[in-house]
Amino acid sequence: MYIKDEINENTFGGRLRKSRLDKNLDIKDLASICNVTNSIISAYEVGRYYPSISILKLLSEYFDINYLCRDGYTHLVWNYDNFINSLKLWIKNNNFTMDKSAKLLGVTHGSLRFWFNGSIMSYATYNKIKNNLIYYRIKY
């Protein structure tokens, strides 16, 4: 049993666990709300997995999504449209080709095309290019 005051709120999983406990929900309740297994909710809470945008939308109906997704990968997923639009604007304003943009960001041209068509980058890729996004002042 976890004491709410001892939960690490520096991670999405910790914030999810705290929010769940604040609403007096157990893992089974939250799994039912999200239409996933108990083990998936547990994996979110320990940081082994991160939820998709569809799961985040379900969570936003019960919890403060700005608190849950205030940083890290879930922040990117929740704000993905803004991220992609900022990236496209950066490319357009600098008259970059897709190849030049990809090279500057440290990704492949295919990855950019993949993201622009609606796919969300992996957590590893997000961490890889995060510093380049800051360097080029791409707000997302």
Side-chain angles (χ1 to χ4, degrees):
M1 181 82 161
Y2 291 93
I3 300 172
K4 284 190 274 187
D5 293 339
E6 295 178 2
I7 296 173
N8 180 356
E9 293 182 63
N10 293 326
T11 66
F12 170 81
R15 292 186 298 269
L16 179 61
R17 177 177 285 148
K18 185 170 188 327
S19 296
R20 176 177 60 77
L21 293 173
D22 285 346
K23 297 264 187 183
N24 295 314
L25 297 170
D26 62 23
I27 288 178
K28 184 178 177 182
D29 296 330
L30 189 53
S32 178
I33 288 168
C34 295
N35 198 27
V36 297
T37 64
N38 297 358
S39 61
I40 294 293
I41 298 299
S42 293
Y44 293 158
E45 290 187 356
V46 298
R48 197 174 26 223
Y49 299 129
Y50 294 90
S52 65
I53 190 69
S54 60
I55 298 295
L56 289 175
K57 286 179 181 178
L58 290 170
L59 292 172
S60 74
E61 295 176 22
Y62 293 88
F63 307 117
D64 178 357
I65 200 70
N66 292 318
Y67 167 71
L68 287 178
C69 300
R70 69 181 184 206
D71 57 12
Y73 189 65
T74 51
H75 176 77
L76 172 68
V77 172
W78 186 249
N79 295 287
Y80 199 69
D81 290 341
N82 291 337
F83 165 73
I84 289 299
N85 289 337
S86 295
L87 193 56
K88 286 178 180 178
L89 188 61
W90 172 73
I91 291 168
K92 180 181 176 183
N93 287 344
N94 288 290
N95 293 316
F96 290 152
T97 64
M98 290 289 277
D99 286 331
K100 176 162 179 132
S101 303
K103 185 175 180 179
L104 289 170
L105 293 172
V107 298
T108 66
H109 176 121
S111 293
L112 284 179
R113 190 173 57 250
F114 191 61
W115 301 331
F116 290 171
N117 287 328
S119 296
I120 297 179
M121 68 181 66
S122 71
Y123 187 58
T125 302
Y126 170 69
N127 281 330
K128 178 181 173 183
I129 69 170
K130 183 169 40 176
N131 290 334
N132 288 332
L133 296 175
I134 292 167
Y135 178 79
Y136 293 113
R137 296 188 178 113
I138 300 173
K139 303 276 186 194
Y140 58 92

